[in-house]
Amino acid sequence: MTRDAAGPSSSSMTPSFLEFILIVSVMLLVPVQPVSAHPQCLDFEPPFKPLWHLEFCKQYETFGCCDQKTDNQIAERYWDIIDHLDIADYELCADMLKEVMCQECSPYAAHLFDAEDPYTPVRELPGLCFGFCSEFHGKCRHVVKYLTENQLLQNTCERDMLTFCHMVDLSDQDYCYPNVLKTPDLTGNLGQVVEDPRGCLQLCLTEVANNLRNPVLMLHSNDDTHRMFIAEQVGFVWVYLHDGSRLEQPFLDLTGEVLTTPWLGDERGFLGMAFHPKYQDNGRFFIYYSIQVNSGPDNIRVSEMKVSAYDMNMADPYSERVIIEIEEPAANHNGGQLLFGLDGYLYIFTGDGGKAGDPFGKYGNAQNKSALLGKVLRIDVDGSDSDGRQYRIPPDNPFLGAPDARPEVFAYGVRNMWRCSVDRGDPVSRYGRGRIFCGDVGQNRYEEIDIIVKGGNYGWRAKEGFECYDMKLCHNSSLNDILPIFAYSHHVGKSVTGGYVYRGCESPNLNGLYIFGDFMSGRIMALEEDKTTGNWKERSVCMGEIKTCSFPGLINHHHKFIISFAEDEAGELYFLATAYPSTESPFGTVFKFMDPSRRAPPGKCKQKLLPVKVRGKKFPFVPKELTVLDTNEKPTRPPPRKFKLTTKPPVTSSQVKTTTADSTTTADSTTTAASATTADSATTADSATTADSATTAASATTADSATTAASATTADSATTADSATTAASATTADSATTADSATTAASATTAASATTAASATTADSTTTADSTTMTSTALKLKWKSLDKKARKKNKLKPRKKSKVLNEQTADTQMEDNTLRRKSKKRGGGKERRRKKTSVIKPDSNQVNLNSNHTGIASLKVNALETPMNLKDNTDHTKKKIHRRKGARKQTKHEKDSIMSKEPANDNNAFMNKTITDWTKSSKTMRNQPQVKSNPGGTDKGL
């Protein structure tokens, strides 16, 4: 009653408070899902660490999606755009433009450009957060037309900032720029192997081969062909080429000799194979298999065979030479590993004879050094000894000469080692090179991983893993056993399958990890060494989540029964598994490991393959496993922007805009097809010059001065170089025009390219030639900037003009001015019509000079053609030519032309002097700097 009288407020608040506490408790119990990091490049591959530093997008030189080549391409596109900005726009927009363009190098480029979704088009602009986009729009909206060809995006950018920023934004705000750089879950462990909340390393797989019947091993022949040889338990060995195809005929067929049954889990059959270290030269290889002779007991046989002399993909079936045979008292624990160590000797790994607990003899076969079972044997197969053995005993075998031991024994105390491998060593430091790792299958409680050392006792049957199995033997003070580097109990797995230390190239994060598995549980595990202490730490390996493995061709599942691990010639790691462990079950598949968090830089892992001569058919590989992504879900990288940008220098108040009388063609439409053409041929001396051939340089040429070419004649000859210099293309007229030449400018032919310059371009697109004495006020202004310096550092430095060229140019200029003043005095400034000269055939004594012109690519040119007539060694000064619409002017020799005082018969001597002077000038002109070309163009020079 008293609680009821407390009033309704108390009773109503109490449930609300309790509900609140309950909700908060539930929220605390539910783990917060972090942002799912999935770094990915525009080529739909994981990011990488570039081999060399990046000059332009430096923020991504430690980890990203650009190598040096891609970085240079982005820089080139960037500077092409910058060329179209004036100083104010450059200072306002340059930094933000660089940030936006460098997002192609971001490790999350696929997210920024929306390339992960195969059902949406790939963006041309990265996803920008609204705040950054609004600032970018305010500063750089005038450059959007150079970044995208999307007309809707261009129009929206010009019209409305809000709509534009909404279009370039991303729905996931964690991935838009620059938020992607500020999210700890995305940047915290960038470039490291992805781990789930339990610390399990997430790896992905690719399918390599299928339709195999209990594939027990895969190995390479180390002969630079990169073929893989896959053996089935029944006795077939198949050849797989580097492209994944399988040859129709098997490399080896021992199905008639190998002892095996279709029983589930039968351990007998074809179990081991190893190629001789010099297989490429001698064609020898060795095999290990179960055999039964004349209905007798089971044996294990180690034999030598050779490759066929007629087919490199087939073994010689008649070449078998038995090396050693060991009787097996039971059907299980058959061992089966063969390998060659770095010492060149053959290592043979045998089981303890079978049954359970090694019941053979007082201490079992494994601890009995006089038995060959339960051992690691080492023999020299490159010879035979006097005792009739088909091999020799290495002189440093640990028990050589011991009365109670077989000389072949290298190590003992092993139960049934299933799959061993030799560590290649670190690719750089070679640390760990030559170590032999083995997985030793346990009895009832533990599975273990061992490193084999000479003379080592690995404890079986006294110990199983770290624990005692036979108490009497375990407490024997003379046991002196070597403990495993790792052991796990049977609640994890019940049959270890030894693996490899990863030393490949494609997944750098896996380097140094010993990766192995368990046959019964299907678990994949890894060990990582602490080099300071020598201890090994377990790293669990699990298949990556769907998002983690969302790359083309990747899968995140495998068959349960892991039979073996393998390594190809490049060091990449594989494992062989089946869904049903029977010798007749065709569900065996080969999988390759792949780290989705980081790959090797492009081109680093490229291999040089020797050709393989194939006789017969090949069966192409057809994958069967379901990939994370559909095979069609592979967006393509957007091509780099290659717009035809017009090279239009910033307009200044002092720039004079004139138009030619006869020109109706705009600057954007009259790009000559070979504007980068070098004029290598000399124009002949006596060709007639028509009046309409001299196209005016509308941008920078004044009324009284024509452009003098910096090439043709020296100061001593007092000849003005009227050879056709195209001012807008900045082509340096290096050609030497001979004394009597009159170039026909109606064709405006640059000699080697036959490029017509008759269509004069508008004045806005022309600049004066580098060789002229007139400097156009419309030349591009060069602003100082750190990025500009970086750009210059990236690109090839132009060659500097030599002092000789400067002196010759100065002399030519002074002489031209002198001649002009004299001409004005004599002619009184009056303008006369020039007489049309007749065409004179070139004299045989005249010399045609071939000179080098430096062609600058992709410039819209307004050609300036100035004829040079040298007749009777007469030097004509340049006259101002007035053009009238619809009328043709004829050239006329002025009376006040300055005549040469040299006699006419000295013409050849004068030409020889001109040739000599021109040769010097030509050598000098080779060193003059190249002129900035149009975006997308290519500079060419001889």
Side-chain angles (χ1 to χ4, degrees), residues 329 333 350-375 404 409 412-415 443 457 459-463 469-470 473 479:
H333 298 184
T350 63
D352 64 3
K355 297 187 178 179
D358 193 8
F360 307 102
K362 184 177 181 180
Y363 306 110
N365 284 328
Q367 291 294 323
N368 181 7
K369 293 190 285 291
S370 63
L372 295 180
L373 294 174
K375 304 295 187 300
D404 58 345
V409 175
Y412 64 104
V414 301
R415 183 176 180 272
Q443 181 65 54
N457 178 8
W460 176 250
R461 73 183 185 188
K463 286 185 177 180
Y469 180 80
D470 187 320
L473 291 177
L479 184 62

Side-chain angles (χ1 to χ4, degrees), residues 239-255:
V239 178
Y240 283 78
L241 302 181
H242 188 259
D243 61 2
S245 60
R246 177 176 69 85
L247 301 189
E248 180 184 24
Q249 297 297 325
F251 177 77
L252 180 63
D253 180 3
L254 284 181
T255 54

Side-chain angles (χ1 to χ4, degrees), residues 89 92-93 96-97 100 125 128-145 147 152-168:
D89 289 339
L92 186 66
C93 177
M96 295 197 76
L97 176 63
V100 170
L125 290 177
L128 306 178
C129 301
F130 184 82
F132 183 88
C133 176
S134 59
E135 185 181 358
F136 175 76
H137 182 272
K139 295 181 178 180
C140 302
R141 61 178 176 271
H142 51 282
V143 303
V144 171
K145 58 185 176 183
L147 295 174
L152 176 61
L153 204 58
Q154 293 182 19
N155 295 338
T156 306
C157 178
E158 293 292 336
R159 184 176 62 254
D160 184 11
M161 183 272 289
L162 290 176
T163 308
F164 172 76
C165 289
H166 178 73
M167 292 176 67
V168 299

Side-chain angles (χ1 to χ4, degrees), residues 183 200 324 482 523 699 714 831 836 866 905:
T183 307
C200 186
I324 190 172
I482 296 175
R523 289 190 61 171
S699 62
T714 62
E831 186 174 315
K836 187 173 182 180
T866 311
N905 56 5

Side-chain angles (χ1 to χ4, degrees), residues 609-876:
L609 311 180
L610 290 182
V612 178
K613 297 180 181 179
V614 177
R615 300 174 184 269
K617 296 180 180 179
K618 297 189 297 183
F619 295 107
F621 169 64
V622 179
K624 290 187 174 182
E625 299 299 320
L626 184 64
T627 57
V628 174
L629 295 180
D630 187 75
T631 53
N632 297 325
E633 296 183 8
K634 187 176 180 180
T636 56
R637 174 182 177 137
R641 300 272 66 80
K642 292 184 179 178
F643 302 143
K644 297 179 179 179
L645 307 177
T646 58
T647 53
K648 200 169 184 179
V651 178
T652 61
S653 59
S654 59
Q655 182 175 356
V656 181
K657 296 184 179 180
T658 61
T659 55
T660 57
D662 293 337
S663 173
T664 59
T665 308
T666 61
D668 291 334
S669 63
T670 57
T671 307
T672 57
S675 60
T677 310
T678 30
D680 290 339
S681 65
T683 54
T684 57
D686 294 331
S687 57
T689 306
T690 60
D692 59 346
S693 62
T695 55
T696 60
S699 62
T701 308
T702 61
D704 293 330
S705 63
T707 306
T708 60
S711 58
T713 56
T714 62
D716 295 336
S717 65
T719 304
T720 58
D722 290 339
S723 60
T725 306
T726 56
S729 62
T731 307
T732 55
D734 292 344
S735 62
T737 309
T738 57
D740 295 332
S741 68
T743 306
T744 308
S747 61
T749 307
T750 57
S753 62
T755 305
T756 32
S759 59
T761 59
T762 62
D764 291 339
S765 65
T766 60
T767 56
T768 59
D770 190 40
S771 61
T772 64
T773 59
M774 300 292 294
T775 303
S776 172
T777 59
L779 285 178
K780 187 185 305 173
L781 298 176
K782 297 183 179 180
W783 42 78
K784 295 183 179 180
S785 149
L786 293 177
D787 289 334
K788 193 72 174 180
K789 293 179 180 177
R791 175 195 177 194
K792 290 182 178 179
K793 187 181 293 185
N794 263 347
K795 296 197 172 184
L796 295 175
K797 294 183 177 180
R799 299 178 180 176
K800 296 182 179 179
K801 293 183 180 180
S802 63
K803 293 183 178 179
V804 178
L805 175 61
N806 294 336
E807 293 173 0
Q808 289 180 354
T809 305
D811 293 343
T812 305
Q813 179 180 352
M814 293 174 61
E815 191 164 345
D816 181 58
N817 292 338
T818 304
L819 292 175
R820 190 178 293 110
R821 286 195 296 270
K822 290 182 179 180
S823 175
K824 287 184 178 180
K825 288 180 181 179
R826 293 183 181 181
K830 296 180 181 179
E831 186 174 315
R832 298 178 176 86
R833 295 195 178 188
R834 295 183 181 178
K835 218 179 231 184
K836 187 173 182 180
T837 57
S838 59
V839 178
I840 304 175
K841 293 183 180 180
D843 191 3
S844 59
N845 293 330
Q846 292 177 337
V847 181
N848 293 332
L849 301 179
N850 292 330
S851 63
N852 295 330
H853 284 240
T854 304
I856 306 302
S858 303
L859 290 176
K860 284 75 179 178
V861 296
N862 186 9
L864 174 64
E865 294 290 343
T866 311
M868 179 169 67
N869 299 333
L870 297 177
K871 186 174 183 181
D872 297 330
N873 296 331
T874 301
D875 293 341
H876 298 277

Side-chain angles (χ1 to χ4, degrees), residues 232-277:
E232 295 176 324
Q233 190 175 349
V234 292
F236 283 113
V237 179
W238 301 98
V239 178
Y240 283 78
L241 302 181
H242 188 259
D243 61 2
S245 60
R246 177 176 69 85
L247 301 189
E248 180 184 24
Q249 297 297 325
F251 177 77
L252 180 63
D253 180 3
L254 284 181
T255 54
E257 301 289 333
V258 171
L259 172 64
T260 189
T261 67
W263 301 343
L264 191 67
D266 189 356
E267 298 179 16
R268 297 170 297 180
F270 189 94
L271 302 177
M273 181 175 174
F275 288 95
H276 194 279

Side-chain angles (χ1 to χ4, degrees), residues 19-33:
E19 290 175 2
F20 173 75
I21 295 297
L22 181 62
I23 293 173
V24 171
S25 301
V26 172
M27 290 177 64
L28 291 175
L29 291 174
V30 175
V32 178
Q33 293 292 334

Side-chain angles (χ1 to χ4, degrees), residues 515-645:
I515 300 178
F516 63 102
D518 189 273
F519 173 80
M520 294 299 295
S521 67
R523 289 190 61 171
I524 298 176
M525 294 164 275
L527 298 178
E528 185 176 16
E529 182 183 12
D530 184 347
K531 296 180 181 179
T532 58
T533 63
N535 297 326
W536 293 79
K537 176 185 176 183
E538 180 190 5
R539 300 296 304 273
S540 297
V541 176
C542 52
M543 292 296 98
E545 299 174 354
I546 292 179
K547 191 171 186 65
T548 303
C549 296
S550 293
F551 293 96
L554 295 191
I555 58 180
N556 60 348
H557 63 275
H558 60 84
H559 301 319
K560 177 181 178 181
F561 300 99
I562 301 175
I563 301 174
S564 185
F565 284 77
E567 186 183 52
D568 66 14
E569 199 164 346
E572 300 305 321
L573 193 56
Y574 306 75
F575 70 95
L576 296 70
T578 184
Y580 190 78
S582 169
T583 57
E584 295 182 353
S585 172
F587 299 112
T589 306
V590 181
F591 301 94
K592 179 181 179 181
F593 285 102
M594 188 267 186
D595 176 19
S597 60
R598 178 187 172 192
R599 60 168 159 158
K604 181 181 180 182
C605 304
K606 189 176 181 180
Q607 301 290 334
K608 293 183 179 180
L609 311 180
L610 290 182
V612 178
K613 297 180 181 179
V614 177
R615 300 174 184 269
K617 296 180 180 179
K618 297 189 297 183
F619 295 107
F621 169 64
V622 179
K624 290 187 174 182
E625 299 299 320
L626 184 64
T627 57
V628 174
L629 295 180
D630 187 75
T631 53
N632 297 325
E633 296 183 8
K634 187 176 180 180
T636 56
R637 174 182 177 137
R641 300 272 66 80
K642 292 184 179 178
F643 302 143
K644 297 179 179 179
L645 307 177

